[in-house]
Structure formats: C-alpha cells, structure tokens
C-alpha cells in the first residue's frame, strides 16, 4: 500500500502477500518485461537470433529514447548499436537469480553510454580504469533469487507511479539526463539541499535504500 | 563491515552513471568492502531499469538491426579474448600490491603515491600513507576530498575510520588526520582541488607555494 499526497492508494487486484504469488501476476505493465529474461537466456544458451531480434524490438527503441534524453541525438543509434552488441556478448553473464532483466539491461545501457562518451572525448575526467570495472554489471554477489529480484522491481514500479511529480522529476533528470544533483538544482533554481531531500524522500518511498542503512546513519 | 558509506545522492549518481570517473572509482573501491552498499546499488540500478523501461519507444532506422547483426557476425568469426574479471580495481597501478609502492615522503610520517593527475592539476587521484601513530599537518581543501581506507585506519576531528570506510571532507572542514597507533594507514584519496595547509606556519608556506609554485598542488615537504 502506498501513501502519497495524502491519498491512500489501495492496491486493488494486486496480490498482497508476495510469498504466495508470482510478483508480476496481474500486472499489465509487466507483461512486456516478463519476456526479457527468457529472451536473454535464449541468446546466451543457443545464440538464438530470433530471440535477439525480439529483444531488439522490445529494448532498442527505449535505448534510443535514453540516448536522446542524454543529449546524444547524433549518436543515438550508435549507442543502440553498442548496447545491443554488448547484450549479445554478455548474455551468458545474465543471471535472473542475481538481477532482474530490466536492471541488467539498464546497467549495459548505462555502461555503453559512459563508454561512448569517453570515446567521443566528452568525459570531463579520464582514468585508465575501464568502464565495466568502475561500474560492474549486477551479479558479483550471492544470488538473492529471481523472486526477490522481481519483488524489488515490482515495489519500485508500483511506488514510482505514486511519487509526487517533483520527486519523480529529480530522479528522471539524474537517471535519464545525466545530471548531477548539483546541476539539477541549478536547472530548477532550487537550493541543493531541497533537491537532495526530494531524492531522499523518493528513495524512502521506493524502498530503494535498505533499512539498516537508515539506522546506521 | 565498514561504518561510513557514500551519501544517498552519491550512491544514486553512481548508479545512474553520472558520477565522474574518479568519484566512481572511489565508490567502486568502497563497494568491494561493503555488501550493504552493493545491495543498495543493485536497488538503485533496478530503479534505473524501471525509469528506462518507462521511456517512450523511438523509431529506429530500417537497417539498424541488420547493421548490428553484421557486426556480431564479424566478431563471432574472430572472437576476442574473454575479459578477465578484475579482482582489485587498483591492480592496474599496483600489480605487486600495496607493499611494493614506492612512496614519496611529504611530511614527517606522511607519504604519497600519485596515480593520476588531471591536465590542469586540479584533480588528483593518489594513495596516501600515514605511518602508525603519525599525524598529517592540519589542512583544509579548496574543493572536496574523498578518502577510502584501504588498510589500517585513521581518526580526525570528526571521527574514526577503518578499512573500507568512505569519507568526504569539503573545503570548509579543516582536519588533521592521524593514523591509528598499531598499523600504517593507507588510503585512496581523490582531491578535486589542491590542499591548502592551515595554521600560521601552514598559511605562510601556502602563500609562498602559491607565489613560486603555482602548478604544484602538493604541500611542500
Ligand atoms: Zn557502504
């Protein structure tokens, strides 16, 4: 159940007990995402080109939108190409017990974007360390289970819709427009503290930062 | 487990991929020590995944898929050597580990080993060592100093830091780090503007340094 803007949103048609049901059951928006994991696995196991084409059809148009948001209009399809080639190359590293398909694909897209910007000489600072080492793909930790991964993604998806617009905007600028909190603050003419507190509120609602963390600080 | 972690906004900028490469390196080194932050990064990446999935679909050019397959076919016919997973992010600079570093003395018990300096010298990535029980001079920074403890521990006016801890000091925080008594303290440090020494002698050295050595951003030893 999410509470936002003083309105209590009752999760009608949602299975309340996550231990009983597939977390994506009954989620209309999830249906297109459910196919991502088996497609990546088919590419990994059989180098399945049909599966890869379907993955391309589902994901590439969003990667292009991501590139455009990032201000890489002239290089948008170049980024799509890099991302899809990397999906093909690394499909075997995908493990649904360790990360949801959407999380893994995001990490591939993010790293390809950073790499392309480095290649184009648009990074402000350079280092000798390769992008995939600085931002490793999810999967180095112990598997938490596909179910747990799906619950995390479902929680985020459900609560994203309930976030106040101002909190959502800040998150979108950081994730999709490559803007630091400092730059977001400048752009919105807000004090940096205000931007940071919006982010903190949003992350609490999204249950993105683990609880023990809050106790420790 | 370490007790001092990157703030939520740094974690988010890292997960989103908009942190600078040097800050990202510091966060990544901390992650090697901290399972809790690794779990948080995973969730923050899941948030990125969801943001990406909610984007509208942009039209692609006709031949894009074929172009991609062409490239894949080329690669498949001449496969590259598989990338080795990295065990230590600093391996590149320290193939023989922390014990083989050739330190440069900076102060009485304070040593430095520079990894990378930006062209204008404003950003500096280095290893810093304070021998057991040693003390760095009181200093502040023009910018921000990020420190990740790799070995041993240190304390300053604001706290005690141990292996894996991620510490940020901004320009207005003067501090005088001191290594713990029983072990040398080695840190990865990233500075986005030069150090300025504090205290009456420090101020004098500083003025002198800026007059005669404007390009040198380490305190004179
Ligand atoms: Zn941590």
């Amino acid at each position: 159940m999410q509470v936002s803007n003083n309105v209590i949103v009752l999760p009608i048609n949602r299975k309340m007990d996550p231990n009983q049901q597939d977390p994506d059951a009954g989620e209309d928006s999830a249906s297109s995402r459910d196919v991502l994991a088996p497609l990546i696995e088919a590419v990994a196991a059989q180098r399945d080109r049909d599966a890869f084409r379907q993955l391309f059809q589902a994901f590439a148009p969003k990667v292009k939108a991501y590139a455009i948001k990032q201000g890489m209009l002239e290089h948008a399809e170049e980024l799509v190409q890099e991302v899809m080639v990397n999906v093909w190359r690394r499909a075997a590293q995908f493990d649904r017990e360790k990360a949801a398909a959407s999380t893994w694909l995001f990490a591939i897209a993010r790293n390809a974007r950073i790499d392309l910007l480095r290649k184009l000489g648009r990074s402000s600072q350079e280092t000798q360390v390769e992008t995939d080492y600085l931002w490793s793909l999810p999967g180095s930790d112990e598997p938490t289970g596909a179910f747990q991964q799906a619950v995390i993604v479902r929680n985020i998806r459900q609560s994203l819709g309930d976030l106040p617009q101002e909190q959502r905007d800040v998150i979108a600028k950081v994730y999709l427009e490559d803007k630091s909190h400092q730059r977001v603050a400048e752009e919105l003419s807000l004090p940096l503290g205000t931007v940071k507190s919006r982010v903190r509120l949003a992350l609490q609602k999204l249950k993105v930062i683990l609880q023990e963390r809050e106790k420790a600080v | 487990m370490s007790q001092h972690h990157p703030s939520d906004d740094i974690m988010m900028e890292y997960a989103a991929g908009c942190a600078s490469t040097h800050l990202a390196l510091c966060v990544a080194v901390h992650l090697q020590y901290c399972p809790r932050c690794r779990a948080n990064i995973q969730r923050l990446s899941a948030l990125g995944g969801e943001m990406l999935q909610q984007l509208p679909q942009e039209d692609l050019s006709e031949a894009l898929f074929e172009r991609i397959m062409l490239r894949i076919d080329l690669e498949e016919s001449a496969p590259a050597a598989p990338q080795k997973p990295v065990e230590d992010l600093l391996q590149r600079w320290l193939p023989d580990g922390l014990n083989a570093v050739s330190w440069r003395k900076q102060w009485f018990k304070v040593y430095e080993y520079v990894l990378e300096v930006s062209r204008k010298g404003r950003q500096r990535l280095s290893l810093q060592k304070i021998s057991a029980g040693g003390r760095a001079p009181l200093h502040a920074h023009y910018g921000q100093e990020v420190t990740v403890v790799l070995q041993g521990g240190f304390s300053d006016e604001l706290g005690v830091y141990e292996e894996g801890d991620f510490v940020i000091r901004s320009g207005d925080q003067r501090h005088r780090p001191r290594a713990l008594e029983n072990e040398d303290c080695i840190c990865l440090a990233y500075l986005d503007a030069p150090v300025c020494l504090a205290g009456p002698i420090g101020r004098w050295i500083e003025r002198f340094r800026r007059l005669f050595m404007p390009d040198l951003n380490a305190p004179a030893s």
Side-chain angles (χ1 to χ4, degrees):
Chain A
M1 190 189 294
Q2 278 80 42
V3 183
S4 80
N5 293 343
N6 304 320
V7 178
I8 295 171
V9 182
L10 286 172
I12 303 161
N13 291 335
R14 280 173 192 164
K15 305 293 190 278
M16 291 303 287
D17 183 357
N19 297 315
Q20 300 271 308
Q21 285 289 329
D22 178 352
D24 282 327
E27 283 288 316
D28 50 349
S29 58
S31 52
S32 63
R33 270 159 249 190
D34 288 341
V35 302
L36 295 174
L39 290 176
I40 300 168
E41 285 159 356
V43 171
Q46 297 109 34
R47 310 264 82 183
D48 183 332
R49 290 178 180 232
D50 281 336
F52 188 65
R53 183 188 284 274
Q54 288 177 55
L55 203 51
F56 173 84
Q57 282 160 353
F59 190 53
K62 294 183 175 180
V63 176
K64 187 167 176 185
Y66 176 65
I68 293 171
K69 283 248 177 208
Q70 299 275 344
M72 302 171 74
L73 185 61
E74 314 107 277
H75 298 281
E77 294 206 341
E78 198 178 339
L79 183 69
V80 173
Q81 215 178 110
E82 292 302 322
V83 170
M84 293 313 295
V85 168
N86 277 319
V87 168
W88 178 273
R89 272 186 207 149
R90 279 147 204 232
Q93 291 168 27
F94 171 69
D95 181 349
R96 63 162 89 191
E97 301 284 319
K98 290 177 175 175
S102 58
T103 308
W104 187 80
L105 288 168
F106 167 74
I108 296 259
R110 173 198 64 198
N111 288 16
R113 188 206 93 218
I114 295 167
D115 257 345
L116 187 55
L117 288 177
R118 286 174 85 170
K119 204 177 99 191
L120 296 169
R122 288 210 210 145
S123 287
S124 54
Q125 300 161 359
E126 268 320 315
T127 176
Q128 302 170 42
V129 185
E130 283 147 47
T131 301
D132 284 340
Y133 293 166
L134 294 178
W135 283 271
S136 62
L137 299 179
S140 54
D141 269 304
E142 289 296 298
T144 47
F147 184 84
Q148 180 59 27
Q149 295 303 331
V151 169
I152 293 170
V153 170
R154 183 198 56 176
N155 278 340
I156 289 171
R157 183 188 313 142
Q158 288 179 353
S159 18
L160 255 181
D162 298 332
L163 281 189
Q165 194 60 40
E166 55 175 36
Q167 291 173 15
R168 223 191 125 91
D169 286 348
V170 172
I171 293 182
K173 281 183 188 299
V174 174
Y175 277 98
L176 303 176
E177 296 177 25
D178 191 19
K179 290 187 174 124
S180 64
H181 293 85
Q182 179 66 49
R183 278 192 59 202
V184 173
E186 284 159 18
E187 201 178 286
L188 300 175
S189 311
L190 288 168
L192 182 57
T194 308
V195 170
K196 286 188 181 180
S197 73
R198 282 182 189 176
V199 165
R200 206 169 307 121
L201 284 171
L203 294 183
Q204 278 164 15
K205 284 191 197 123
L206 296 170
K207 302 193 184 78
V208 162
I209 294 293
L210 292 179
Q211 292 305 311
E212 309 91 76
R213 177 79 187 282
E214 261 110 48
K215 279 181 220 145
V217 171
Chain B
M1 185 185 310
S2 69
Q3 295 297 314
H4 297 269
H5 311 274
S7 59
D8 291 350
D9 53 308
I10 289 180
M11 291 283 280
M12 187 174 171
E13 286 174 3
Y14 173 81
C18 63
S20 71
T21 49
H22 286 146
L23 183 58
L25 177 66
C26 294
V27 175
V29 169
H30 172 74
L31 292 179
Q32 291 186 324
Y33 292 88
C34 186
R36 194 163 56 188
C37 283
R38 285 203 295 275
N40 282 335
I41 285 298
Q42 172 110 9
R43 284 157 187 261
L44 285 161
S45 303
L47 173 57
E50 200 48 38
M51 300 298 291
L52 182 49
Q53 288 298 329
Q54 290 187 4
L55 282 175
Q57 312 242 357
E58 284 289 330
D59 291 337
L60 304 166
S61 20
E62 282 290 313
L64 186 56
F65 185 74
E66 276 63 43
R67 279 211 300 277
I68 290 170
M69 287 322 294
L70 212 64
R71 226 181 106 184
I72 285 171
D73 286 334
L74 257 170
E75 261 188 39
E76 300 270 285
S77 61
Q83 238 187 349
K84 267 204 215 136
V86 73
E87 271 132 48
D88 184 348
L89 284 159
L90 303 176
Q91 219 169 39
R92 174 140 320 192
W93 295 287
L94 311 169
D96 303 317
L98 283 176
N99 293 327
V101 174
S102 42
W103 296 100
R104 193 173 65 93
K105 192 167 182 175
Q106 266 195 308
W107 198 256
F108 301 108
K109 283 182 156 186
V110 183
Y111 303 83
E112 188 188 41
Y113 180 72
V114 177
L115 304 178
E116 286 178 358
V117 181
S118 69
R119 224 175 312 141
K120 285 180 185 160
R122 288 190 64 79
Q123 284 123 11
R124 181 184 195 86
L125 184 74
S126 63
L127 295 179
Q128 299 195 331
K129 179 168 97 165
I130 309 180
S131 304
R135 222 170 167 186
L138 182 66
H139 65 279
H141 310 275
Y142 294 119
Q144 208 176 46
E145 181 188 49
V146 181
T147 305
V148 187
V149 183
L150 302 176
Q151 182 194 300
F154 77 91
S155 62
D156 69 6
E157 289 76 353
L158 297 159
V160 179
Y161 310 97
E162 285 166 353
E163 234 170 68
D165 280 350
F166 183 100
V167 190
I168 286 203
R169 291 282 172 266
S170 57
D172 44 10
Q173 291 169 310
R174 287 178 176 197
H175 69 148
R176 191 169 182 199
R178 171 183 219 137
L180 302 182
E181 288 301 329
N182 50 352
E183 196 182 355
D184 292 352
C185 174
I186 300 178
C187 295
L188 173 68
Y190 168 56
L191 219 74
D192 70 1
V195 171
C196 42
L197 294 172
I201 298 174
R203 267 197 296 278
W204 187 81
I205 296 176
E206 190 60 25
R207 208 172 302 151
F208 195 78
R209 183 175 74 74
R210 265 189 276 175
L211 263 175
F212 296 104
M213 297 176 283
D215 291 331
L216 205 73
N217 57 5
S221 55

